Amino acid sequence: MNTDRQPSSVTYTTHGLLTQTRPLQTTVAFIGGGNMATSLISGLVADGHDPHRILVSDTEHEKLANLSARFGVRSVSSNLEAVTHADALILAVKPQVLRAVCEEIQPIIQKHRPLVISIAAGVREIYLQQWLGHSVALVRTMPNTPAMLQAGATVLHADRNMVSSQQRDTAESIMRSVGLTCWVETEALLDAATALSGSGPAYFFLVMEAMQQAGMKLGLDSGIAHLLTIQTALGAARMAMESTESPATLREKVTSRGGTTETALRIFADGGLVALFSKALTGARDRSAELSRMLGEANE
Ligand SMILES: NC(=O)c1ccc[n+]([C@@H]2O[C@H](COP(=O)([O-])OP(=O)(O)OC[C@H]3O[C@@H](n4cnc5c(N)ncnc54)[C@H](OP(=O)(O)O)[C@@H]3O)[C@@H](O)[C@H]2O)c1
């Protein structure tokens, strides 16, 4: 995994997240103006991207009107018009409708040849290329839900023979507007990333849920247990993000011999927590690959 390709325009925010500070001089068009597109538009505009260089197309007129009113972006009346003006085109529709959208825009894609970025979960590059007419500069990405707060983690993959380094930088800059980005060298690793960062927010919610319940069992008021849990999660995440030390070292540093943390960690170890995480992520990775296969077969 390549995580060290960071352009000079990158900085850390107070939340310790990487953001891009130099606005892109690129016209970015979205097909689909739903949740994920809204997050990306919000992030791009917050990063200083000119809203007039952001175009959105959607089947619902009301959604487009809301996006224009909220962010000043331009709504277009058709997917074809979106492609015509795009330097970078983001496919932000649900996987189930992606084939129809790609086949609709194929002639214009082949004529204008924009960079195409897919955020659709599980739709493989081989199908996207087939539906778009082949030889397309295509980047496949896997964002996660904290993108809504510009605190996402997005994993990207591109075939180096199809996508120039400048186009990779463009894709990276766009996705970085909603949080951290990193590249993987093989498309199959997107399934691993889905298991880690795609599904990951739910694992942390589960841990928070369990900690809150355990705190309540020990007599803490539910509101206090809730606040202590989420603030501790946030504090630990910020320490891990902003420190140069690994989580393992940070953990060791807060674990005094014979103390309370050591007792709790030993009980976690006796319960096989680390192995359980590995098993759970392997299951999620395999399921991601299986869903991807099924989605491909359903579209054949
Ligand atoms: N949400 C996440 O956290 C998340 C995380 C990772 C990846 N993703 C991926 O991001 C993509 C978008 O997800 P989302 O949650 O943003 O979905 P969403 O809120 O449903 O947005 C998709 C939008 O596309 C519109 N649309 C449907 N058919 C269209 C067409 N033919 N032309 C133009 N627009 C059309 C939909 O309109 P209607 O509502 O009228 O159908 C909807 O407004 C998905 O492929 C998903 O796998 C999402």
Side-chain angles (χ1 to χ4, degrees), residues 30-40 56-61 63-64 67 78-79 91-98 100-102 104 118-123 141-148 153 198 295:
F30 289 84
I31 294 187
N35 297 317
M36 200 40 95
T38 303
S39 299
L40 281 161
V56 195
S57 154
D58 195 286
T59 41
E60 262 184 66
H61 181 74
K63 246 176 219 171
L64 293 176
L67 287 170
S78 73
N79 293 341
L91 300 173
V93 293
K94 292 280 188 207
Q96 297 83 339
V97 296
L98 195 50
V101 166
C102 289
E104 177 198 0
S118 170
I119 62 169
V123 184
T141 70
M142 183 62 208
N144 66 1
T145 39
M148 284 190 289
L295 201 59

Side-chain angles (χ1 to χ4, degrees), residues 99 122 127 131 291-300:
R99 180 179 185 162
Y127 293 107
W131 304 334
L291 288 172
S292 221
R293 239 185 341 266
M294 283 161 61
L295 201 59
E297 283 163 15
N299 272 301
E300 269 172 1

